[in-house]
């Protein structure tokens, strides 16, 4: 892949959560906000994935079916009855484009026909297909996609393709709002024993979720009005019906399992019929006061909740009906107390809460959305008014694009979602999703209640790659999201570790360009934070981290070992200012919430931070919650190659290159070096000092092509005074002879178009600046 397809040069890694105050350096130009910055041609196949790196999480099985390629023509069902064409949609289901008619009933009937006639005998290699026609289709109510092994494919997401226009009807819009009218009211949307929270995260255009109703709710479901029936759908899966209580291990009776275990001990009574080998189970650990105390959260910091903050979906590999245990496909990432008090804690609010092993009785499997556009039509509202408006413009219409709930091994690719009611893509208890090559732009509601995200909640072992997101509130992981990979995306909003013990997520090779106006205070109506507070006075930076005392309002602290590597991040710190980079050391691995051996809350001088806001530019390395003691010479921790060829680093595909220590914390503002540009042929070179400390500095070197034709290779050289040397470098191949240092390009940055620049960088041990700088 030519680097010319990526207009923003890749930084090679994060220096810190953010550099120390005053240590940001002005970028040479504002990165272009174009979809070309997303890496849409990455080889995500299992063969191109790196082997697990010692000391880091194993991300090699993230995404669809643990690393399988997304399905192609060979995986579709040859039975014509299971491949609905546009002509058949028109003749059999009255789904006709551009006729102005409501296509909801016909599309739902087509999905239902696949569910009953094809899904029972389908598989991942025998997928049904609904091909949508080119043109505009109109949808007025949520479409339930509970047909396993189904692809819904359009004729393209651009001009001449398929466009779904969602206009929610009266039975789909939320008919109960909070008292201040700012958000839809879960408490006000009940019926019988059901509450509005049962449909969380809310309605959408497509909902990939079982409609199975638990027998105990059958009569209420039958009697419920049309705008309440979905409260009961999927209740066959909910943990209070499907879940089984746990019992203690021998010799460790307070815990059903510990971190690193694969065997979970179930209660001595209760049916095991829903637990089967190859089935999915959510292991849900009860919150406890000891767990909250680990986050430096006490009852005086807010309402502590009897919930399962720590949870994860696993595949069951064994069921022992005699000893009443199940075996999981990989080790647990958290301790599982039997109850909220079995770890020695007092009860939260006087109530003992049980941990659960909750099997997914009816998960939806193998659903893919491909190659169409969708939007939510909102007559009377102007999309331009939503660009930097972090409020809710129409709270009754907070509908999502695609919702995955109790779903697994599913995907979205080639979708264009513009102006959705809230999240374009959202998950809630989902496993091994693959969200690749999509474009999202705007939402009508981006305010309190948590709206307008590109959101991964309760999502595990999933892959988000090559997506472009514009004018949304955040890209978010929350609620125990774990084992996910976010690679090669292009965002103009922050990457938000929202809180709720999300952990072990890899975030690399993303372009994140955040304007000053991306801030909670940019709001015209129904403004405020998710937890009920007022607008934040700060501006969001490229990373947001959930501090315990702040995030307790909705879920609790961000968890351990969320890794940032080789991202290009910049921030416009004040209105109208130039964009400044947020990272410097390209090859350093930044593990947030980690001290090298265990979880650590971010702190300053030993005091845990109460809120990330206003503290985004502090240095958390060196024992304050961000472990930056490791580097890696490759471009990616996930992939062997970004171009299809082997990585240029000899050890990049097999092992990390540990650093003896973290980069020293910067102590002074960076400045351009004194070295002038020095021409050599058509190439000129300039340097920018990106950070300084008492014993050294970091520097980026930019090589510009002033020729009329592109160059395919380059070579830069300089000398350093005695007492200063190069301690590390990136995005180049370095050779040194005494005080003379030579750098040549690597595979991905040798080609420089006329008038353009490429760059590499280095850290220096010593404070003297380079001289005799040449490039050719």
């Amino acid at each position: 892949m030519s680097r010319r397809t990526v207009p923003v040069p890749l930084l090679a890694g994060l220096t810190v959560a953010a550099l120390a105050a005053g240590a940001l350096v002005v970028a040479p130009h504002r990165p272009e906000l174009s979809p070309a910055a997303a890496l849409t041609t990455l080889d995500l196949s299992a063969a191109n994935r790196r082997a697990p790196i010692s000391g880091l999480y194993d991300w090699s099985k993230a995404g669809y079916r643990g690393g399988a390629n997304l399905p192609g023509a060979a995986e579709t069902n040859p039975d014509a009855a299971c491949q609905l064409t546009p002509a058949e949609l028109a003749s059999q289901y009255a789904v006709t484009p551009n006729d102005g008619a409501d296509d909801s009933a016909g599309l739902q009937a087509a999905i239902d026909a696949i569910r009953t006639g094809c899904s029972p005998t389908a598989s991942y290699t025998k997928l049904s297909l609904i091909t949508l026609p080119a043109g505009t289709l109109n949808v007025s109510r949520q479409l339930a996609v509970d047909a396993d092994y189904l692809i819904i494919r359009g004729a393209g997401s651009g001009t001449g393709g398929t466009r779904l226009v969602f206009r929610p009807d009266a039975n789909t819009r939320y008919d109960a709002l909070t008292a201040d009218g700012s958000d839809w009211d879960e408490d006000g949307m009940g019926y019988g024993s059901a509450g509005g929270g049962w449909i969380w995260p809310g309605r959408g255009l497509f909902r990939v979720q079982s409609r199975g109703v638990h027998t105990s709710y059958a009569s209420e479901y039958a009697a419920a009005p049309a705008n309440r029936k979905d409260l009961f759908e999927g209740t066959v899966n909910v943990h209070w019906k499907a879940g089984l209580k746990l019992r203690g291990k021998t010799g460790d009776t307070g815990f059903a399992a510990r971190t690193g275990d694969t065997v979970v001990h179930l209660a001595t009574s209760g049916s095991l019929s829903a637990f089967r080998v190859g089935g999915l189970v959510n292991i849900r650990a009860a919150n406890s006061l000891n767990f909250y105390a680990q986050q430096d959260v006490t009852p005086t910091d807010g309402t502590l909740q009897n919930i399962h903050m720590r949870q994860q979906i696993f595949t069951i590999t064994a069921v022992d009906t005699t000893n009443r245990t199940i075996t999981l496909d990989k080790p647990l990432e958290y301790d599982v107390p039997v109850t909220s008090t079995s770890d020695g804690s007092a009860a939260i609010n006087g109530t003992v809460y049980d941990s659960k092993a909750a099997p997914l009785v009816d998960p939806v499997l193998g659903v893919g959305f491909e190659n169409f556009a969708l939007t939510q039509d909102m007559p009377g509202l102007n999309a331009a008014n939503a660009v930097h408006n972090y409020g809710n413009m129409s709270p009754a219409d907070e509908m999502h694009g695609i919702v995955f709930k109790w779903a697994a091994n599913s995907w979205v690719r080639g979708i264009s979602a513009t102006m959705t009611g809230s999240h374009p893509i959202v998950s809630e208890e989902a496993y091994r999703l693959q969200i690749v090559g999509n474009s999202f732009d705007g939402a009508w509601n981006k305010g309190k209640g948590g709206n307008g995200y590109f959101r991964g909640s309760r999502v595990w072992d999933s892959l988000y790659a090559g997506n472009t997101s514009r004018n949304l509130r955040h890209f978010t992981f929350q609620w125990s999201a774990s084992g996910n990979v976010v690679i090669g995306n292009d965002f103009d909003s922050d990457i938000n570790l929202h809180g709720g013990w999300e952990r072990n997520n890899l975030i690399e090779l993303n372009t994140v360009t955040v304007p000053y106006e991306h801030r909670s205070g940019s709001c015209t109506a129904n403004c405020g934070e998710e937890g009920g507070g007022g607008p934040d006075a700060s501006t969001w930076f490229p990373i947001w981290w959930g501090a315990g005392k702040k995030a307790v309002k909705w879920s609790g602290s961000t968890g351990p070992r969320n890794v940032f590597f080789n991202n290009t991040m910049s921030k416009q710190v004040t209105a109208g200012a130039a964009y400044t980079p947020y990272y410097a050391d390209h090859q350093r691995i930044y593990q947030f919430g980690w001290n090298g051996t265990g979880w650590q809350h971010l702190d300053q001088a030993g005091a845990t931070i109460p809120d990330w806001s206003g503290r985004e530019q502090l240095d958390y390395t060196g024992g304050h919650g961000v472990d930056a003691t490791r580097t890696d010479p490759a471009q990616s921790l996930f992939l062997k190659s970004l171009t299809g060829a082997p990585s240029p680093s000899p050890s990049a595909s097999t092992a990390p290159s540990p650093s003896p220590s973290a980069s020293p914390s910067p102590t002074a503002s960076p400045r351009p070096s004194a070295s002038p540009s020095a021409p050599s042929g058509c190439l000129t070179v300039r340097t920018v000092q990106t950070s300084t400390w008492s014993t050294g500095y970091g520097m980026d070197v930019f090589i510009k092509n002033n020729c009329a034709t592109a160059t395919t290779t380059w070579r830069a050289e300089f000398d350093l005074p005695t007492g200063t040397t190069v301690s590390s470098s990136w995005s180049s191949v370095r050779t040194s002879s005494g005080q003379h240092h030579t750098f040549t390009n690597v595979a991905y940055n040798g080609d420089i178009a006329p008038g353009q620049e490429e760059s590499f960088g280095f850290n220096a041990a010593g404070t003297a600046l380079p001289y005799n700088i040449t490039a050719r």
Side-chain angles (χ1 to χ4, degrees):
M1 176 178 64
S2 170
R3 285 270 294 155
R4 294 276 61 81
T5 63
V6 185
V8 183
L10 295 176
L11 288 177
L14 256 78
T15 316
V16 282
L19 294 177
L24 296 173
V25 59
V26 175
H29 62 282
R30 173 178 174 172
E32 293 295 329
L33 296 184
S34 68
L39 304 183
T40 58
T41 59
L42 293 174
D43 176 3
L44 302 173
S45 67
N48 193 40
R49 298 187 181 188
R50 291 182 65 172
I53 300 171
S54 176
L56 294 178
Y57 190 86
D58 179 6
W59 294 288
S60 63
K61 294 180 174 58
Y64 176 71
R65 300 184 66 197
N69 292 333
L70 291 180
E75 285 77 40
T76 55
N77 192 336
D79 186 346
C82 299
Q83 293 195 34
L84 296 179
T85 66
E88 290 167 330
L89 286 176
S91 62
Q92 299 177 32
Y93 301 100
V95 175
T96 304
N98 304 322
D99 64 354
D102 188 350
D103 297 296
S104 304
L107 289 170
Q108 188 65 70
I111 295 168
D112 293 347
I114 295 293
R115 178 172 56 86
T116 57
C118 301
S119 293
T121 58
S123 69
Y124 292 114
T125 58
K126 192 180 176 183
L127 294 154
S128 303
L129 174 63
I130 296 177
T131 301
L132 303 175
T136 298
L137 301 176
N138 298 296
V139 180
S140 64
R141 61 179 185 264
Q142 178 173 268
L143 299 175
V145 187
D146 53 355
D148 293 335
Y149 313 116
L150 168 64
I151 304 170
I152 299 178
R153 178 181 296 156
S157 59
T159 302
T162 302
R163 184 170 184 259
L164 277 74
V165 177
F166 189 26
R167 300 181 179 94
D169 64 14
N171 286 325
T172 305
R173 299 177 77 241
Y174 301 117
D175 62 348
L177 300 180
T178 54
D180 62 1
S182 66
D183 197 12
W184 72 281
D185 184 11
E186 298 168 45
D187 295 333
M189 283 195 54
Y191 180 82
S193 57
W198 290 20
I199 59 169
W200 187 258
R203 293 168 175 153
L205 171 58
F206 293 103
R207 190 178 186 91
V208 185
Q209 177 203 297
S210 169
R211 282 178 283 175
V213 176
H214 194 275
T215 54
S216 64
Y217 301 124
S219 60
E220 288 180 288
Y221 176 71
N227 66 346
R228 294 292 188 270
K229 284 190 179 296
D230 60 341
L231 303 184
F232 300 97
E233 292 174 351
T235 49
V236 291
N237 288 316
V238 296
H239 71 84
W240 61 85
K241 289 297 182 182
L244 202 62
K245 296 179 183 180
L246 307 177
R247 76 177 198 280
K249 302 166 54 176
T250 301
D252 192 14
T253 55
F255 293 84
R258 291 280 195 170
T259 302
D261 288 350
T262 56
V263 175
V264 179
H265 295 73
L266 307 177
T268 56
S269 62
S271 174
L272 301 181
S273 62
F275 297 90
R276 59 178 181 80
V277 173
L280 303 178
V281 63
N282 189 343
I283 303 300
R284 311 169 66 100
N287 288 1
S288 69
L289 289 180
N290 286 343
F291 178 56
Y292 273 120
Q294 185 181 1
Q295 305 166 55
D296 194 29
V297 171
T298 68
T300 61
D301 295 315
T303 301
L304 307 188
Q305 301 179 73
N306 273 316
I307 53 176
H308 302 119
M309 190 187 303
R310 297 162 292 179
Q311 53 184 277
Q312 186 165 356
I313 291 176
F314 299 88
T315 300
I316 299 172
T317 60
V319 179
D320 185 337
T321 56
T322 301
N323 294 306
R324 294 183 65 84
T325 62
I326 56 173
T327 302
L328 311 176
D329 64 325
K330 63 179 185 177
L332 279 158
E333 300 170 14
Y334 45 87
D335 292 342
V336 185
V338 176
T339 69
S340 58
T341 60
S342 65
D343 66 351
S345 299
I348 296 175
N349 300 322
T351 300
V352 177
Y353 196 66
D354 294 303
S355 295
K356 291 283 185 71
L360 273 63
V361 176
D362 184 23
V364 179
L365 306 174
V367 170
F369 298 92
E370 300 181 353
N371 303 335
F372 60 84
L374 63 90
T375 189
Q376 184 167 319
D377 186 31
M378 296 296 299
L381 293 181
N382 184 350
N385 294 335
V387 171
H388 285 299
N389 184 0
Y390 301 99
N392 295 330
M393 295 175 67
S394 183
D397 298 283
E398 293 169 4
M399 309 294 152
H400 311 304
I402 302 173
V403 180
F404 291 98
K405 188 169 183 178
W406 301 305
N409 291 318
S410 296
W411 70 96
V412 182
R413 62 176 167 181
I415 298 298
S416 172
T418 59
M419 296 311 298
T420 48
S422 184
H423 313 316
I425 304 283
V426 61
S427 63
E428 194 73 16
E429 292 199 50
Y431 176 64
R432 289 180 171 169
L433 302 180
Q434 192 146 319
I435 314 298
V436 294
N438 304 288
S439 176
F440 311 121
D441 190 350
W444 296 110
N445 299 286
K446 294 187 291 190
K448 63 197 304 182
N451 288 288
Y453 300 1
F454 179 9
R455 179 171 177 246
S457 176
R458 293 186 177 97
V459 62
W460 299 283
D461 303 318
S462 295
L463 176 58
Y464 298 76
N467 302 289
T468 298
S469 171
R470 293 287 179 267
N471 301 312
L472 296 176
R473 186 179 175 107
H474 311 297
F475 174 88
T476 299
F477 280 139
Q478 65 185 107
W479 275 108
S480 211
S482 172
N484 304 293
V485 174
V486 183
I487 181 172
N489 302 281
D490 178 13
F491 301 139
D492 69 347
S493 60
D494 53 304
I495 293 179
N496 185 292
L497 301 173
H498 194 283
W501 212 247
E502 57 278 283
R503 59 197 178 275
N504 294 324
N505 299 294
L506 172 61
I507 299 157
E508 66 170 18
L509 287 166
N510 302 286
T511 298
V512 183
T513 309
V514 184
Y516 171 76
E517 291 82 7
H518 185 64
R519 55 196 298 267
S520 179
S522 296
C523 182
T524 60
N526 301 312
C527 309
E529 296 180 340
E530 296 87 340
D536 193 312
S538 67
T539 176
W540 287 312
F541 278 73
I543 292 175
W544 198 95
W545 193 86
K549 290 183 183 297
K550 173 72 172 291
V552 70
K553 291 191 295 183
W554 52 85
S555 53
S557 176
T558 297
R561 304 191 84 177
N562 292 287
V563 173
F564 289 82
F565 180 76
N566 199 6
N567 296 282
T568 298
M569 294 185 166
S570 62
K571 172 64 182 173
Q572 187 184 37
V573 179
T574 58
Y579 281 68
T580 55
Y582 201 55
Y583 295 113
D585 190 338
H586 297 191
Q587 306 308 136
R588 194 158 298 280
I589 300 169
Y590 294 88
Q591 302 183 69
F592 277 60
W594 193 247
N595 63 14
T597 58
W599 183 80
Q600 181 181 339
H601 198 290
L602 271 58
D603 72 64
Q604 283 296 296
T608 59
I609 62 170
D611 188 356
W612 178 253
S613 176
R615 299 169 179 83
E616 304 94 342
Q617 298 179 80
L618 301 178
D619 185 355
Y620 297 97
T621 62
H624 299 286
V626 176
D627 180 5
T629 57
R630 299 182 59 152
T631 61
D632 192 279
Q635 295 170 261
S636 169
L637 302 179
F638 179 56
L639 299 178
K640 296 177 183 178
S641 169
L642 303 188
T643 63
S647 172
S649 300
S651 61
S653 63
T654 57
S657 174
S659 170
S661 62
S663 292
S665 301
T667 57
S669 298
R671 60 196 182 279
S673 79
S675 304
S677 297
S680 177
C682 293
L683 300 184
T684 55
V685 60
R686 65 184 177 89
T687 62
V688 174
Q689 205 169 349
T690 57
S691 57
T692 63
W693 52 92
S694 60
T695 59
Y697 59 86
M699 181 168 281
D700 282 342
V701 181
F702 296 87
I703 299 164
K704 184 175 182 179
N705 179 13
N706 300 293
C707 305
T709 59
T711 184
T712 57
T713 62
W714 50 258
R715 175 188 181 97
E717 302 180 48
F718 58 72
D719 295 300
L720 285 169
T722 301
T724 297
T725 189
V726 175
S727 58
S728 63
S729 58
W730 52 89
S731 299
S732 60
V733 177
R734 171 168 53 97
T735 56
S736 300
S737 177
Q739 295 302 110
H740 186 75
H741 304 277
T742 301
F743 303 81
T744 57
N745 63 276
V746 290
Y748 61 85
N749 66 354
D751 54 326
I752 313 178
Q756 300 300 308
E757 291 182 318
E758 285 289 0
S759 67
F760 67 94
F762 68 93
N763 285 332
T767 58
L769 299 175
Y771 63 97
N772 294 335
I773 304 176
T774 62
R776 57 185 172 86

